[in-house]
Amino acid sequence: MKILVLNCGSSSIKYALYNMDDKSVMTSGGAERVGLDGAFVKVKLANGEKKQVMHDIPEHTEGVKFIFSLLTDPEIGVIKDLSEIDAVGHRMVHGGEKFNKSVILDDEVLKVFEECSDLAPLHNPANLKGVKAVSELMPNLPQVGVFDTAFHQTMPKHAYLYAIPYELYKDYGVRRYGFHGTSHRYVSKRACEFLGVDAADKKVITCHIGNGGSVAAVDGGKCIDTSMGLTPLEGVMMGTRSGDIDGGAITFLQKKLGLDADGMSGLLNKKSGVLGITGISSDMREVDAAAKEGNELAQTALKMYNYKIKKYIGSYAAALGGCDIIVFTAGVGENQSSMRAEVCENMEWMGVKIDEAKNATIHGEEAVISTPDSKVTVVVIPTDEELMIASDTMSLL
């Protein structure tokens, strides 16, 4: 079975074609600058070769159509005919309370998903465009939606409600939803497989740390809490997002700076976090380099960043009533050994002991980085959301 995975953002379309017989990636890539000048598609072939193809992409339908043409291209294509594709799995960002698992997409499901667009005005409409583009090009091709928020729908009410008037939850759905759910689900399961233990009786804390970051508490394979909230803004400090901030500080700054709601949202989502503190970059590699050169703000930003992850791990260990496994994943989590070391420093009180030499050598590979006598096993597990989407799609079909 061949399954195409699509992740449609506001101005991008990422894709990967899987051969599910052996779960191999036949090709992958992404269209960038959709709707803008200078649009192009990056293509990565199974042998690792990379190509960049310039192409005008005024909107998502044209982008998906061009990606389909690349899949069958005589030179860089990997299939002879589009009929070889058995289904498409879509990353769908915000399913609200409507979806607690992946589903086959039909008109009724899409209508319900569209009703969640107020909760993710940048992401959900883009996701819908991708689905509709496939429907226009291949009307009979089965499509599946895999929701970022679904894994977190097992949170108990006391964990997902905010302490605001209850009517705001009932009328507008204002509550904690959480994101990166497909990643948290994959790595919490994969970590147990990798360690040869049963996930059903393990307490796992998963740290998805990239340009966007979130932490989740997983008990017996089910999420009981997560750091992101109504939107992806809440939680740990991120590349350009502030993470947790006093609501009073928000209204104070709105008055001082004369910002409306959109202006305040832009400040907190796009100009804050590591970028806001350092003024250098949202890229942790650049910030880390600046810190090593003695930049004081870069050093402060790194300490803030690591401290906030540490706090969430500690609080989730308390919420879980213990912790068996800590997982680091995503771009920073998989590759920045210094972050992992500092986050786990002085956590012997909860049974965490890091093998510093082993940790320093691990970049983007599955590995145990704790010592043999550590009561909590600390692992690095590269995330694979696309494979999770492909697997869900195959299971449903």
Side-chain angles (χ1 to χ4, degrees):
M1 178 179 279
K2 294 182 178 67
I3 293 175
L4 179 66
V5 174
L6 285 180
N7 178 358
C8 291
S10 56
S11 62
S12 66
I13 307 171
K14 297 177 183 177
Y15 70 93
L17 181 64
Y18 282 85
N19 182 344
M20 295 306 289
D21 294 340
D22 58 5
K23 296 184 178 179
S24 62
V25 179
M26 300 174 68
T27 184
S28 63
E32 298 186 24
R33 298 184 61 82
V34 176
L36 303 171
D37 292 335
F40 60 92
V41 178
K42 289 181 178 178
V43 181
K44 183 179 180 181
L45 304 180
N47 63 5
E49 185 181 357
K50 296 179 181 179
K51 300 274 188 178
Q52 182 168 308
V53 185
M54 303 301 296
H55 186 78
D56 185 34
I57 307 176
E59 41 73 44
H60 286 74
T61 301
E62 177 59 32
V64 172
K65 182 179 179 180
F66 186 60
I67 287 169
F68 277 9
S69 74
L70 292 176
L71 296 176
T72 58
D73 183 85
E75 291 186 12
I76 62 174
V78 292
I79 55 176
K80 292 182 179 180
D81 192 272
L82 291 178
S83 61
E84 294 181 41
I85 301 173
D86 296 289
V88 176
H90 293 267
R91 179 201 179 208
M92 313 287 274
V93 172
H94 211 312
E97 293 184 321
K98 308 294 185 181
F99 302 103
N100 60 9
K101 59 183 178 181
S102 303
V103 295
I104 294 175
L105 298 174
D106 56 26
D107 290 343
E108 184 177 344
V109 168
L110 292 176
K111 181 180 178 182
V112 173
F113 178 71
E114 196 164 6
E115 291 170 359
C116 298
S117 290
D118 280 353
L119 297 171
L122 292 178
H123 297 90
N124 280 22
N127 299 158
L128 280 169
K129 287 177 182 177
V131 176
K132 291 176 180 177
V134 173
S135 296
E136 287 182 27
L137 295 165
M138 300 182 72
N140 298 319
L141 189 64
Q143 299 186 70
V144 166
V146 180
F147 303 88
D148 267 14
T149 51
F151 181 61
H152 304 305
Q153 288 303 298
T154 51
M155 284 189 291
K157 205 166 191 174
H158 66 264
Y160 69 68
L161 282 178
Y162 290 120
I164 56 177
Y166 190 69
E167 292 75 16
L168 299 177
Y169 162 64
K170 291 195 298 181
D171 295 345
Y172 304 111
V174 179
R175 51 157 284 184
R176 179 184 309 283
Y177 291 100
F179 299 88
H180 299 139
T182 307
S183 176
H184 287 294
R185 177 161 63 105
Y186 174 80
V187 298
S188 60
K189 179 184 177 186
R190 177 59 196 153
C192 292
E193 292 173 349
F194 176 64
L195 296 171
V197 298
D198 186 358
D201 62 0
K202 295 302 175 187
K203 300 177 186 295
V204 184
I205 298 173
T206 51
C207 305
H208 177 107
I209 310 299
N211 194 261
S214 62
V215 183
V218 183
D219 194 353
K222 294 183 178 180
C223 177
I224 66 160
D225 206 349
T226 190
S227 58
M228 283 181 167
L230 174 74
T231 74
L233 177 64
E234 189 179 2
V236 297
M237 180 178 172
M238 302 172 230
T240 63
R241 297 185 187 123
S242 66
D244 295 333
I245 183 172
D246 179 7
I250 295 173
T251 55
F252 174 83
L253 287 172
Q254 278 190 294
K255 292 176 181 177
K256 286 290 185 182
L257 301 176
L259 296 173
D260 60 10
D262 289 340
M264 197 67 223
S265 177
L267 175 67
L268 296 175
N269 280 286
K270 298 178 180 179
K271 299 178 182 179
S272 298
V274 174
L275 174 64
I277 293 294
T278 65
I280 297 171
S281 174
S282 62
D283 190 315
M284 291 298 289
R285 291 166 296 190
E286 295 179 20
V287 173
D288 191 44
K292 288 175 180 176
E293 292 172 1
N295 185 297
E296 186 176 345
L297 284 177
Q299 293 169 352
T300 298
L302 290 177
K303 288 181 180 179
M304 292 172 65
Y305 190 88
N306 298 332
Y307 176 68
K308 292 174 187 296
I309 298 169
K310 184 194 293 279
K311 282 209 303 182
Y312 266 99
I313 291 174
S315 66
Y316 284 166
L320 286 163
C323 177
D324 299 304
I325 304 167
I326 296 173
V327 183
F328 288 100
T329 193
V332 180
E334 295 169 24
N335 295 291
Q336 192 165 16
S337 57
S338 59
M339 179 276 292
R340 299 190 300 254
E342 189 167 331
V343 167
C344 295
E345 188 179 15
N346 297 323
M347 292 184 73
E348 289 84 0
W349 62 271
M350 65 172 277
V352 175
K353 292 184 180 180
I354 290 293
D355 184 330
E356 294 182 10
K358 180 70 177 293
N359 176 54
T361 67
I362 300 303
H363 302 283
E365 59 189 291
E366 293 185 336
V368 175
I369 58 170
S370 50
T371 60
D373 62 337
S374 179
K375 293 180 181 178
V376 176
T377 304
V378 184
V379 294
V380 176
I381 301 289
T383 191
D384 199 335
E385 295 169 272
E386 290 78 15
L387 178 59
M388 193 89 259
I389 293 169
S391 298
D392 280 9
T393 301
M394 185 173 72
S395 297
L396 282 168
L397 296 176

